Amino acid sequence: MIKTMFNKILLSMKSRYNYDVRYMQDILNADLMAFLKLMGCQIMSSHAGNLPTGPLFAARLRAIIWDDCGPCTQLVVNMALEANIEPRIVRAIVDRDMAQLPADIALVVEFTERVLAHDPHANELRKKVVSLWGQKGLIAIGYSISSSRVYPALKYTLGYGDTCHKVNVHDLSLVPRQYSDAPQN
C-alpha cells in the first residue's frame, strides 16, 4: 500500500516535470528502506534556509551541471522557472554568463564551482557568502551543492545516466557551459 502511494507521487513528478522517474521506481520496488532514505535526500535538497531563490537555484544548477548536463539539469531548470526565476537569469546561470547575472547570483555561481573544484579561492568567496546570508545561507548553499550531486551519481550507478544534451529554457535550447578556471564574462 505504501509503495503504491509513493509510486503515485513519483508519477505526479513525472507528469509535472516531464522527468524520467524509473530509477526511483526501481529503488522503491527493490528496497523500500533505500527509497525512504532517498526521500531524506530530497528533504535535504529542498532546504532553502534564508537564501533567496536566485542564489539557491544558482547553486543547484551549477552543481548539477558539474556532474550531469542531461535530464537532471533540465529538471532543475524547470524547477527554477517554476520558482519564478526570470528565464534570462536561468539562461545566464546555465550559460555561465556572469555579466548577465546580478552580483549575488554571480557570487554563488563562482563559489559553487570553486567548492566543487576544491579551489582554495572558495575561502575568500565563502566570507562574502556569509556576510550576505550568514551561516544559514552558507548551509543552504552547501546542502544545494551536496544534494544535487547525489542524483546523477545514483542514476549513472543504476544505469539511468544520460549523455550530455541541450537544456531548454522556455524557447531557447542551450548546452550548459562547464566551469573552467579561465575568466568568463
Side-chain angles (χ1 to χ4, degrees):
M1 173 117 160
I2 193 164
K3 284 185 177 182
T4 302
M5 180 188 72
F6 281 127
N7 192 53
K8 285 182 181 179
I9 292 169
L10 293 176
L11 292 173
S12 174
M13 179 183 180
K14 175 184 178 179
S15 174
R16 181 176 182 177
Y17 295 110
N18 190 28
Y19 181 71
D20 184 0
V21 297
R22 289 177 300 156
Y23 75 100
M24 290 188 278
Q25 289 173 314
D26 284 354
I27 295 168
L28 174 61
N29 291 327
D31 187 343
L32 179 60
M33 289 308 296
F35 181 81
L36 293 174
K37 290 175 182 176
L38 178 61
M39 292 303 97
C41 184
Q42 289 194 330
I43 292 169
M44 179 181 164
S45 71
S46 69
H47 180 74
N50 62 342
L51 206 59
T53 56
L56 181 70
F57 277 98
R60 289 176 181 169
L61 276 167
R62 293 314 304 176
I64 203 79
I65 289 168
W66 189 271
D67 288 320
D68 169 78
C69 57
C72 290
T73 301
Q74 185 65 60
L75 174 65
V76 179
V77 163
N78 294 346
M79 290 175 165
L81 294 169
E82 183 179 72
N84 293 319
I85 298 176
E86 294 178 46
R88 69 177 184 80
I89 298 295
V90 175
R91 283 193 297 267
I93 294 168
V94 170
D95 268 347
R96 200 177 188 288
D97 186 352
M98 304 297 267
Q100 298 301 313
L101 292 173
D104 60 339
I105 295 175
L107 169 65
V108 174
V109 166
E110 185 74 18
F111 178 67
T112 298
E113 292 176 336
R114 293 204 180 262
V115 165
L116 291 168
H118 302 242
D119 184 325
H121 294 295
N123 294 329
E124 299 164 25
L125 299 174
R126 184 178 300 105
K127 292 174 189 171
K128 293 179 181 179
V129 166
V130 170
S131 73
L132 285 172
W133 302 294
Q135 195 66 19
K136 284 184 176 185
L138 181 64
I139 291 167
I141 291 170
Y143 276 18
S144 292
I145 293 169
S146 302
S147 62
S148 291
R149 302 191 80 194
V150 167
Y151 299 98
L154 183 59
K155 287 175 70 173
Y156 276 95
T157 300
L158 297 176
Y160 287 97
D162 200 357
T163 57
C164 294
H165 68 274
K166 294 181 179 181
V167 175
N168 296 311
V169 181
H170 282 306
D171 58 346
L172 186 63
S173 187
L174 309 167
V175 175
R177 189 168 188 180
Q178 297 294 327
Y179 169 78
S180 82
D181 214 12
Q184 304 286 323
N185 316 10

